């Protein structure tokens, strides 16, 4: 009597991430389509040797659409939309790894990796002279009024020139960088 036994692989293992928690600093001026987290850092493994299907979600409202993965089987995270530090400076992404497609009726095991993205402000804007007014309530553009003062050319004054609307003062709208403002007269 000959008995042939075939052992079938049962889907009894969940995918696993080598690094389930990652943090990345991303400069505000990073070019669209730049890889933020490499595929090798986020690839999950499955002891059942199943194909892994990935899905990316964000947990922070208003940050959808900025980051994406290259494909359902490629977990590389890339920048999909230009960043603006003034809109948000951090977000949390969840990368799901499943051993079946999302639409599969079969029992599915899932692993989750949490990716924290910290946006670092870049020096993208020139200093603003104060006082200034925002253009159409847009806090990224501030228009200043010209400074003016009176000089009596028949007198030699040793006092500082008084200006309206006040003393010359500028601020850097890229405030987190802490660059020093340097003033110079360029003509006249």
């Amino acid at each position: 009597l000959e008995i042939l036994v075939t052992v079938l692989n049962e889907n009894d293992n969940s995918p696993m991430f080598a690094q389930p928690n990652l943090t990345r600093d991303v400069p505000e001026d990073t070019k669209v389509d730049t890889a933020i987290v490499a595929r090798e850092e986020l690839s999950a493994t499955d002891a059942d040797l199943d194909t892994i299907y990935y899905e990316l979600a964000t947990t922070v409202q208003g940050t959808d659409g900025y980051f994406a993965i290259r494909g359902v089987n490629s977990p590389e995270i890339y920048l999909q939309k230009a960043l603006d530090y003034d809109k948000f400076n951090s977000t949390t992404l969840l990368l799901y790894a499943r051993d079946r497609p999302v639409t599969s009726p079969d029992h599915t095991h899932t692993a989750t990796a949490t990716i924290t993205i910290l946006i670092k402000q870049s020096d993208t804007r020139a200093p603003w002279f104060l006082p200034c007014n925002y253009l159409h309530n847009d806090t990224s553009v501030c228009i200043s009024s010209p400074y003016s003062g009176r000089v009596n050319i028949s007198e030699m004054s040793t006092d500082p020139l008084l200006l309206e609307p006040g003393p010359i003062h500028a601020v850097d709208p890229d405030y987190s960088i802490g660059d020093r403002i340097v003033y110079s007269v360029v003509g006249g």
Side-chain angles (χ1 to χ4, degrees):
L1 182 64
E2 185 178 315
I3 298 175
L4 183 61
V5 177
T6 303
V7 178
L8 299 175
N9 187 12
E10 179 149 339
N11 184 18
D12 57 349
N13 293 293
S14 293
M16 291 181 58
F17 284 103
Q19 297 181 66
N21 295 296
L22 288 171
T23 300
R24 285 291 179 273
D25 291 342
V26 180
E28 173 186 24
D29 59 352
T30 299
K31 302 270 187 256
V32 170
D33 205 40
T34 299
I36 303 302
V37 183
R39 174 186 185 147
E40 297 76 28
E41 293 181 83
L42 284 176
S43 292
T45 57
D46 187 341
D48 298 319
L49 302 178
D50 292 320
T51 300
I52 306 293
Y53 298 88
Y54 297 95
E55 180 185 0
L56 187 67
T58 183
T59 64
V60 178
Q61 188 174 2
T63 62
D64 282 341
Y66 284 91
F67 300 93
I69 55 174
R70 294 283 180 198
V72 72
N73 298 118
S74 176
E76 178 181 89
I77 297 174
Y78 70 98
L79 184 63
Q80 185 172 285
K81 187 172 156 183
L83 297 170
D84 184 347
Y85 183 85
D86 293 325
K87 289 186 180 172
F88 69 96
N89 55 27
S90 68
T91 190
T92 302
L93 307 173
L94 298 176
L95 181 65
Y96 300 105
R98 295 182 175 89
D99 58 7
R100 300 280 183 268
V102 175
T103 58
S104 174
D106 298 331
H107 178 68
T108 303
H109 296 284
T110 304
T112 305
T114 303
I115 301 98
T116 303
I117 303 288
L118 303 174
I119 311 301
K120 297 300 177 189
Q121 192 169 38
S122 298
D123 194 8
T124 58
R125 296 185 283 183
W128 295 337
F129 283 99
L130 297 180
C132 66
N133 297 309
Y134 294 124
L135 186 63
H136 308 295
N137 295 325
D138 179 2
T139 59
S140 64
V141 179
C142 197
I143 306 296
S144 60
S145 300
Y147 290 94
S148 63
R150 294 190 181 272
V151 176
N152 187 342
I153 59 172
S154 64
E155 292 180 10
M156 176 66 150
S157 176
T158 58
D159 295 330
L161 178 62
L162 296 176
L163 299 173
E164 290 294 328
I168 294 176
H169 179 68
V171 295
D172 188 350
D174 299 315
Y175 54 88
S176 72
I177 297 173
D179 279 347
R180 189 171 62 107
I181 304 279
V182 177
Y183 300 89
S184 60
V185 176
V186 294

